[in-house]
Amino acid sequence: MAEEQRQQQQEDEQSQSFAEIEAQPQNGEAVDNQGQEYSWPEIRFDVLPYRSYHFHRQFRSPFNPNNFLKSVKWSPDGSCFLTSSDDNALRLFSLPDNESDFPAGSLPSGPDEDSYTANLVINEGESVYDYCWYPYMSASDTTSCVFATTTRDHPVHLWDSTTGELRCTYRAFDAMDEITAAFSIAFNPTGTKIFAGYNKTLRVFDVHRPGRDFKQHSTLQGSKEGQSGIISAIAFSPANSGMLATGSYDQTTAIYREDNMELLYVLHGQEGGVTHVQFSKDGNYLYTGARKDPYIMCWDVRNTVEVVYKLYRSTEKTNQRISFDIEPFGRHLATGGEDGLVHIYDLQTGQWTSSFAAASDTVNGFSFHPFLPMAVSSSGHRRFGFPDDADDEEVVTINSNENCASVWGFSYNSAAENVMSINDADSVA
């Protein structure tokens, strides 16, 4: 009981510190209630992370030995993460209760075994296009433990992450009065609405009113300004600025006001369809990535005339959605790629910081823990069968580092070391 109280107190303090740091994520400083400077525990990317947990066997079956993963996302409270895979299933993995202790030991299982099994498996009827967590999800409040999914030829589903039951659906219909599926979804920051991306259209559902009621917004203006393709990615600014960004397969990114859906900017420059957009922690910068485009572009939303800098990743030959993520401190971005590496970039300078091998094939998902020095990666890609005359040795070509999910633990500086490094940087400046 005492251990649970200590862990809960630690999480509350870190969550409170995170809220303070969001105001100034670019320099890593914040001010607490007493006016003292506070720094988020900073991950050390100059030290290679260690693989805490590894999962690969449960994604495979005799009927689908090449069931590759598509993406992975932490829950907002950090208690679990959710994977999406090619077998149209979502799997939820909860962290062990003592994970906050961060033992620096080896894997709790052999290299050919999974660390543990998924707590929950939800099977969708068709391919999962996108999914997102309710922003105020907390394991201590079961009513908040939900996530939304959008699937081919299906409406938006809201799932209970504790029981696996379907809570409700949000249905959109086309001109023929047939259900049309969203290609991307996201909760707004207050968690009251679900924004869904369709072809040349955004639909907004009220979370508390499931069914077919929604507001519809065209992404094309009267002068044909805007986005003409499928809206494939949606992200909201975390800085309470009321802005959201939408990526489209027409290679553009648009920025809107959430309250009236006024189009503010349209950004051009990606060489492929935009598959991922994410704001910086302070909301001043926007990062966009596209398929078959080797660069993540950084945009200053206060001055969108040109790209601030570009971050390289190996994605020239794949149509997969390769996601990236910004760590809670707000200073580094991590992205996977076809080379099996995770590359870390310094967002202040746009310079490469470090990289590590996460898998032996495409790393298509990477997500930082919301407040602990951890991350999770997913990997895999589609393989188009084996020759009919192949023998057994040729058929068994997938190893434990392909089509897998891994949890990574990072070294980190203490709060005191962070304050010292910030003071040193200020004195040099």
Side-chain angles (χ1 to χ4, degrees):
M1 187 63 179
E3 175 64 21
E4 293 179 357
Q5 292 177 346
R6 183 192 65 80
Q7 181 177 349
Q8 184 63 44
Q9 181 180 3
Q10 181 185 23
E11 292 180 358
D12 292 342
E13 291 175 353
Q14 290 172 323
S15 299
Q16 180 181 0
S17 301
F18 183 38
E20 296 172 351
I21 288 172
E22 281 185 334
Q24 300 180 10
Q26 294 300 316
N27 58 19
E29 299 177 4
V31 178
D32 61 17
N33 294 333
Q34 288 75 35
Q36 297 177 341
E37 195 174 82
Y38 176 81
S39 178
W40 186 267
E42 185 178 3
I43 296 175
R44 291 192 57 185
F45 293 109
D46 59 334
V47 180
L48 288 177
Y50 59 90
R51 199 190 306 261
S52 300
Y53 305 106
H54 187 65
F55 314 91
H56 68 98
R57 280 190 175 274
Q58 56 198 294
F59 295 104
R60 300 173 191 168
S61 70
F63 306 101
N64 192 357
N66 181 39
N67 176 33
F68 62 94
L69 281 84
K70 293 182 176 180
S71 65
V72 61
K73 297 179 182 181
W74 282 107
S75 62
D77 70 342
S79 63
C80 57
F81 60 89
L82 193 63
T83 66
S84 172
S85 50
D86 189 52
D87 60 353
N88 307 333
L90 296 109
R91 292 172 173 84
L92 184 143
F93 296 85
S94 295
L95 283 181
D97 294 337
N98 63 345
E99 186 55 44
S100 60
D101 295 337
F102 287 102
S106 60
L107 295 175
S109 61
D112 294 329
E113 300 294 332
D114 285 1
S115 298
Y116 50 88
T117 58
N119 300 72
L120 188 68
V121 179
I122 294 177
N123 294 296
E124 285 278 16
E126 294 288 345
S127 177
V128 178
Y129 288 147
D130 197 9
Y131 62 98
C132 59
W133 284 97
Y134 176 65
Y136 293 101
M137 178 270 183
S138 174
S140 60
D141 181 9
T142 56
T143 59
S144 69
C145 295
V146 294
F147 61 89
T149 64
T150 179
T151 309
R152 184 174 58 191
D153 298 330
H154 284 68
V156 175
H157 291 157
L158 191 68
W159 297 95
D160 190 313
S161 63
T162 58
T163 65
E165 296 179 353
L166 181 63
R167 288 270 189 97
C168 55
T169 62
Y170 303 90
R171 303 186 297 274
F173 293 82
D174 58 17
M176 303 298 294
D177 203 35
E178 296 178 347
I179 289 180
T180 178
F183 294 93
S184 57
I185 53 173
F187 284 94
N188 66 342
T190 59
T192 59
K193 299 176 182 178
I194 296 177
F195 282 65
Y198 299 81
N199 186 22
K200 305 176 186 177
T201 304
L202 279 169
R203 292 183 172 97
V204 182
F205 299 91
D206 189 325
V207 172
H208 303 291
R209 297 183 63 184
R212 59 184 301 165
D213 292 335
F214 56 83
K215 292 183 179 180
Q216 183 167 310
H217 304 276
S218 173
T219 58
L220 279 177
Q221 307 298 315
S223 60
K224 300 301 181 182
E225 181 186 10
Q227 295 176 297
S228 61
I230 291 173
I231 306 304
S232 53
I234 304 173
F236 287 84
S237 172
N240 297 322
S241 62
M243 291 193 301
L244 72 146
T246 61
S248 171
Y249 282 161
D250 73 347
Q251 305 180 10
T252 65
T253 302
I255 300 177
Y256 297 87
R257 287 183 55 180
E258 179 190 347
D259 54 357
N260 59 7
M261 292 304 296
E262 177 188 356
L263 178 63
L264 302 178
Y265 315 107
V266 177
L267 309 177
H268 301 265
Q270 298 283 180
E271 297 178 359
V274 178
T275 57
H276 191 192
V277 293
Q278 184 173 356
F279 282 92
S280 62
K281 299 299 181 181
D282 62 358
N284 291 333
Y285 298 90
L286 179 68
Y287 300 88
T288 63
R291 60 183 180 182
K292 286 193 174 181
D293 187 335
Y295 294 103
I296 297 172
M297 294 187 175
C298 173
W299 307 85
D300 188 338
V301 298
R302 301 162 298 182
N303 180 17
T304 58
V305 176
E306 57 185 19
V307 178
V308 179
Y309 53 72
K310 298 180 180 180
L311 310 176
Y312 174 78
R313 58 179 181 173
S314 177
T315 57
E316 296 92 335
K317 299 179 181 180
T318 180
N319 278 319
Q320 282 185 280
R321 183 189 299 236
I322 308 294
S323 64
F324 51 87
D325 198 18
I326 299 173
E327 46 94 9
F329 194 67
R331 289 193 55 176
H332 293 85
L333 179 148
T335 178
E338 294 177 281
D339 53 6
L341 300 177
V342 173
H343 295 283
I344 314 293
Y345 288 94
D346 189 324
L347 296 184
Q348 287 188 317
T349 63
Q351 298 297 312
W352 176 88
T353 298
S354 64
S355 62
F356 66 93
S360 56
D361 57 357
T362 302
V363 178
N364 49 44
F366 192 84
S367 178
F368 282 105
H369 193 280
F371 54 84
L372 296 176
M374 299 177 64
V376 61
S377 63
S378 63
S379 69
H381 65 276
R382 190 179 304 280
R383 295 174 173 83
F384 294 95
F386 302 97
D388 294 336
D389 58 350
D391 56 31
D392 293 340
E393 293 183 359
E394 291 176 324
V395 171
V396 183
T397 60
I398 302 174
N399 60 46
S400 62
N401 285 327
E402 297 175 338
N403 300 346
C404 61
S406 298
V407 177
W408 303 90
F410 289 87
S411 301
Y412 61 97
N413 292 329
S414 65
E417 291 174 323
N418 286 343
V419 172
M420 292 178 60
S421 63
I422 291 173
N423 289 339
D424 292 341
D426 291 341
S427 63
V428 172

XYZ file of all heavy atoms in Angstrom, residues 245-291:
371
model
N -4.017 20.980 -36.848
C -3.373 20.770 -38.142
C -3.903 19.493 -38.764
O -4.145 18.500 -38.060
C -1.860 20.688 -37.990
N -4.089 19.506 -40.059
C -4.550 18.330 -40.789
C -3.612 18.073 -41.960
O -3.287 18.988 -42.716
C -5.986 18.514 -41.311
O -6.034 19.618 -42.219
C -6.955 18.767 -40.168
N -3.182 16.829 -42.098
C -2.369 16.433 -43.234
C -3.228 15.734 -44.269
O -4.227 15.082 -43.939
N -2.853 15.864 -45.524
C -3.652 15.306 -46.612
C -2.765 14.540 -47.573
O -1.567 14.806 -47.709
C -4.387 16.419 -47.367
O -5.006 15.916 -48.538
N -3.387 13.586 -48.278
C -2.661 12.853 -49.300
C -2.367 13.712 -50.527
O -1.691 13.252 -51.456
C -3.449 11.613 -49.714
C -3.338 10.469 -48.724
C -4.265 9.439 -48.717
C -2.301 10.425 -47.801
C -4.168 8.385 -47.812
C -2.191 9.391 -46.893
C -3.129 8.372 -46.901
O -3.019 7.328 -46.000
N -2.858 14.955 -50.575
C -2.502 15.841 -51.688
C -1.187 16.566 -51.406
O -0.864 17.548 -52.068
C -3.626 16.840 -51.978
C -3.744 17.928 -50.923
O -3.130 17.790 -49.839
O -4.455 18.915 -51.161
N -0.440 16.083 -50.385
C 0.898 16.567 -50.043
C 0.883 17.922 -49.338
O 1.894 18.610 -49.298
C 1.800 16.629 -51.285
C 1.899 15.312 -52.032
C 2.804 15.395 -53.249
O 3.506 16.382 -53.457
N 2.778 14.358 -54.077
N -0.248 18.303 -48.762
C -0.331 19.583 -48.053
C -0.700 19.359 -46.591
O -1.226 18.317 -46.210
C -1.386 20.504 -48.680
O -2.683 19.926 -48.517
C -1.105 20.734 -50.157
N -0.423 20.385 -45.790
C -0.839 20.430 -44.389
C -1.565 21.742 -44.169
O -1.083 22.805 -44.580
C 0.361 20.339 -43.439
O 1.084 19.125 -43.694
C -0.092 20.354 -41.984
N -2.723 21.681 -43.549
C -3.512 22.886 -43.288
C -3.623 23.110 -41.786
O -3.642 22.158 -40.995
C -4.906 22.771 -43.898
N -3.704 24.379 -41.391
C -3.866 24.755 -39.988
C -5.172 25.530 -39.859
O -5.420 26.490 -40.598
C -2.681 25.599 -39.494
C -1.376 24.791 -39.624
C -2.889 26.032 -38.049
C -0.139 25.567 -39.216
N -6.013 25.106 -38.915
C -7.332 25.689 -38.708
C -7.473 26.194 -37.280
O -6.737 25.785 -36.370
C -8.441 24.647 -38.947
C -8.536 24.083 -40.329
C -7.778 22.972 -40.701
C -9.404 24.628 -41.274
C -7.883 22.427 -41.980
C -9.519 24.087 -42.543
C -8.754 22.994 -42.889
O -8.860 22.464 -44.146
N -8.465 27.051 -37.094
C -8.944 27.384 -35.761
C -10.022 26.371 -35.389
O -10.930 26.095 -36.177
C -9.532 28.792 -35.722
C -8.508 29.911 -35.789
C -9.184 31.263 -35.666
N -10.012 31.354 -34.451
C -10.710 32.445 -34.121
N -10.703 33.493 -34.929
N -11.427 32.457 -33.025
N -9.934 25.846 -34.182
C -10.882 24.807 -33.791
C -12.295 25.342 -33.606
O -13.272 24.674 -33.969
C -10.426 24.138 -32.484
C -11.377 23.052 -32.006
C -11.058 22.570 -30.607
O -9.965 22.880 -30.094
O -11.910 21.883 -30.011
N -12.446 26.556 -33.092
C -13.776 27.039 -32.728
C -14.679 27.260 -33.940
O -15.867 26.928 -33.918
C -13.668 28.313 -31.893
C -12.828 29.385 -32.577
O -12.283 29.121 -33.668
O -12.721 30.491 -32.010
N -14.140 27.819 -35.021
C -14.974 28.080 -36.202
C -14.449 27.432 -37.476
O -14.979 27.670 -38.554
C -15.109 29.584 -36.413
C -13.751 30.265 -36.616
O -12.716 29.611 -36.720
N -13.758 31.593 -36.660
N -13.383 26.613 -37.360
C -12.775 25.917 -38.489
C -12.341 26.869 -39.596
O -12.418 26.571 -40.788
C -13.721 24.852 -39.036
C -13.952 23.701 -38.088
S -12.412 22.889 -37.567
C -11.795 22.245 -39.093
N -11.870 28.046 -39.197
C -11.311 28.999 -40.161
C -9.954 28.492 -40.630
O -9.092 28.131 -39.828
C -11.163 30.372 -39.523
C -10.512 31.395 -40.435
C -10.193 32.690 -39.722
O -10.554 32.816 -38.530
O -9.575 33.590 -40.349
N -9.753 28.472 -41.941
C -8.481 28.049 -42.508
C -7.457 29.170 -42.351
O -7.654 30.277 -42.859
C -8.656 27.695 -43.985
C -7.389 27.278 -44.737
C -6.792 26.006 -44.150
C -7.695 27.084 -46.223
N -6.360 28.887 -41.658
C -5.332 29.895 -41.412
C -4.185 29.793 -42.413
O -3.774 30.801 -42.989
C -4.787 29.741 -39.986
C -5.810 29.853 -38.852
C -5.146 29.630 -37.499
C -6.511 31.206 -38.894
N -3.646 28.599 -42.600
C -2.518 28.418 -43.518
C -2.675 27.101 -44.253
O -3.318 26.162 -43.764
C -1.161 28.374 -42.780
C -0.961 29.424 -41.714
C -1.002 29.082 -40.367
C -0.700 30.752 -42.050
C -0.807 30.030 -39.381
C -0.509 31.711 -41.071
C -0.559 31.342 -39.744
O -0.369 32.281 -38.777
N -2.035 27.023 -45.410
C -1.833 25.764 -46.123
C -0.339 25.654 -46.415
O 0.232 26.541 -47.055
C -2.654 25.690 -47.430
C -2.349 24.377 -48.155
C -4.143 25.784 -47.146
N 0.278 24.584 -45.948
C 1.719 24.399 -46.065
C 2.018 23.417 -47.191
O 1.433 22.331 -47.252
C 2.301 23.874 -44.747
C 1.920 24.661 -43.493
C 2.502 23.992 -42.248
C 2.406 26.108 -43.592
N 2.941 23.801 -48.071
C 3.347 22.970 -49.196
C 4.828 22.639 -49.058
O 5.604 23.436 -48.535
C 3.108 23.686 -50.529
C 1.684 24.086 -50.767
N 0.799 23.309 -51.480
C 0.990 25.194 -50.383
C -0.378 23.904 -51.530
N -0.289 25.061 -50.870
N 5.208 21.471 -49.538
C 6.622 21.133 -49.512
C 6.922 19.651 -49.394
O 7.999 19.204 -49.800
N 5.999 18.863 -48.856
C 6.239 17.424 -48.759
C 6.176 16.785 -50.142
O 5.416 17.212 -51.009
C 5.212 16.758 -47.845
C 5.226 17.243 -46.408
C 6.364 16.676 -45.578
O 6.496 16.992 -44.407
N 7.213 15.862 -46.155
N 6.967 15.742 -50.346
C 7.035 15.079 -51.643
C 6.042 13.928 -51.770
O 5.904 13.356 -52.852
C 8.458 14.554 -51.875
C 9.501 15.653 -51.942
C 10.902 15.107 -52.129
O 11.038 13.860 -52.188
O 11.847 15.908 -52.216
N 5.356 13.587 -50.683
C 4.361 12.523 -50.718
C 3.160 12.910 -49.882
O 3.095 14.001 -49.294
N 2.190 12.003 -49.819
C 1.024 12.253 -48.995
C 1.379 12.346 -47.527
O 2.090 11.484 -47.001
N 0.901 13.381 -46.863
C 1.236 13.603 -45.456
C 0.552 12.539 -44.599
O -0.665 12.323 -44.711
C 0.807 15.012 -45.005
C 1.112 15.227 -43.523
C 1.505 16.074 -45.850
N 1.323 11.870 -43.760
C 0.792 10.780 -42.940
C 0.868 11.055 -41.447
O 0.289 10.314 -40.658
C 1.545 9.476 -43.236
O 2.958 9.675 -43.004
C 1.327 9.038 -44.671
N 1.596 12.090 -41.030
C 1.720 12.374 -39.601
C 2.015 13.853 -39.396
O 2.858 14.425 -40.091
C 2.844 11.530 -38.977
C 2.873 11.569 -37.482
N 3.925 11.084 -36.737
C 1.975 12.045 -36.581
C 3.671 11.256 -35.454
N 2.500 11.840 -35.336
N 1.308 14.457 -38.458
C 1.558 15.846 -38.067
C 1.575 15.909 -36.541
O 0.823 15.207 -35.870
C 0.476 16.806 -38.627
C 0.555 16.876 -40.137
C -0.921 16.379 -38.204
N 2.452 16.751 -35.994
C 2.544 16.898 -34.544
C 3.097 18.272 -34.198
O 4.080 18.728 -34.789
C 3.428 15.805 -33.937
C 3.489 15.835 -32.414
C 4.233 14.639 -31.838
O 4.650 13.737 -32.563
N 4.404 14.609 -30.528
N 2.464 18.933 -33.233
C 2.929 20.228 -32.745
C 4.035 20.032 -31.716
O 4.095 18.997 -31.028
C 1.784 21.003 -32.094
C 0.834 21.655 -33.061
C -0.309 20.992 -33.494
C 1.071 22.936 -33.539
C -1.196 21.582 -34.368
C 0.193 23.545 -34.415
C -0.943 22.862 -34.840
N 4.879 21.051 -31.577
C 5.838 21.071 -30.480
C 5.086 21.303 -29.181
O 3.904 21.662 -29.170
C 6.875 22.177 -30.703
O 6.235 23.459 -30.729
N 5.767 21.114 -28.060
C 5.107 21.218 -26.759
C 4.590 22.628 -26.482
O 3.597 22.795 -25.761
C 6.063 20.790 -25.639
C 6.544 19.359 -25.737
C 5.398 18.377 -25.676
C 5.894 16.934 -25.745
N 4.807 15.952 -25.704
N 5.242 23.647 -27.038
C 4.778 25.020 -26.821
C 3.822 25.476 -27.915
O 3.292 26.587 -27.845
C 5.962 25.986 -26.734
C 6.790 26.030 -28.008
O 6.470 25.280 -28.955
O 7.760 26.796 -28.046
N 3.571 24.639 -28.916
C 2.623 24.969 -29.973
C 3.140 25.928 -31.021
O 2.388 26.301 -31.928
N 4.416 26.328 -30.937
C 4.955 27.293 -31.896
C 5.444 26.646 -33.187
O 5.607 27.330 -34.200
C 6.105 28.084 -31.269
C 5.626 29.029 -30.186
O 4.479 29.483 -30.208
N 6.482 29.307 -29.222
N 5.708 25.349 -33.125
C 6.255 24.663 -34.292
C 5.386 23.459 -34.637
O 4.745 22.854 -33.771
C 7.698 24.210 -34.037
C 8.644 25.363 -33.782
C 8.855 25.832 -32.490
C 9.317 25.986 -34.821
C 9.709 26.896 -32.245
C 10.176 27.052 -34.593
C 10.365 27.499 -33.298
O 11.200 28.558 -33.062
N 5.390 23.122 -35.907
C 4.637 21.977 -36.404
C 5.584 21.100 -37.209
O 6.362 21.586 -38.026
C 3.478 22.430 -37.290
C 2.618 21.315 -37.897
C 1.835 20.594 -36.806
C 1.676 21.884 -38.958
N 5.508 19.793 -36.946
C 6.345 18.821 -37.642
C 5.455 17.925 -38.496
O 4.443 17.407 -38.027
C 7.156 17.988 -36.644
C 8.065 18.846 -35.802
C 7.617 19.406 -34.605
C 9.363 19.136 -36.215
C 8.440 20.213 -33.849
C 10.192 19.943 -35.454
C 9.726 20.482 -34.280
O 10.542 21.289 -33.529
N 5.843 17.757 -39.765
C 5.040 16.980 -40.705
C 5.915 15.927 -41.378
O 7.081 16.173 -41.689
C 4.415 17.881 -41.783
O 5.462 18.500 -42.560
C 3.560 18.969 -41.145
N 5.335 14.756 -41.599
C 6.022 13.675 -42.301
C 5.099 13.070 -43.338
O 3.875 13.057 -43.175
N 5.684 12.547 -44.411
C 4.898 12.010 -45.519
C 5.469 10.676 -45.974
O 6.622 10.339 -45.695
C 4.881 13.004 -46.687
N 4.648 9.897 -46.685
C 5.103 8.615 -47.186
C 5.997 8.814 -48.407
O 5.794 9.730 -49.207
C 3.911 7.731 -47.534
C 2.967 8.287 -48.584
C 1.791 7.353 -48.788
N 0.860 7.841 -49.798
C -0.263 7.214 -50.130
N -0.594 6.102 -49.499
N -1.048 7.704 -51.056
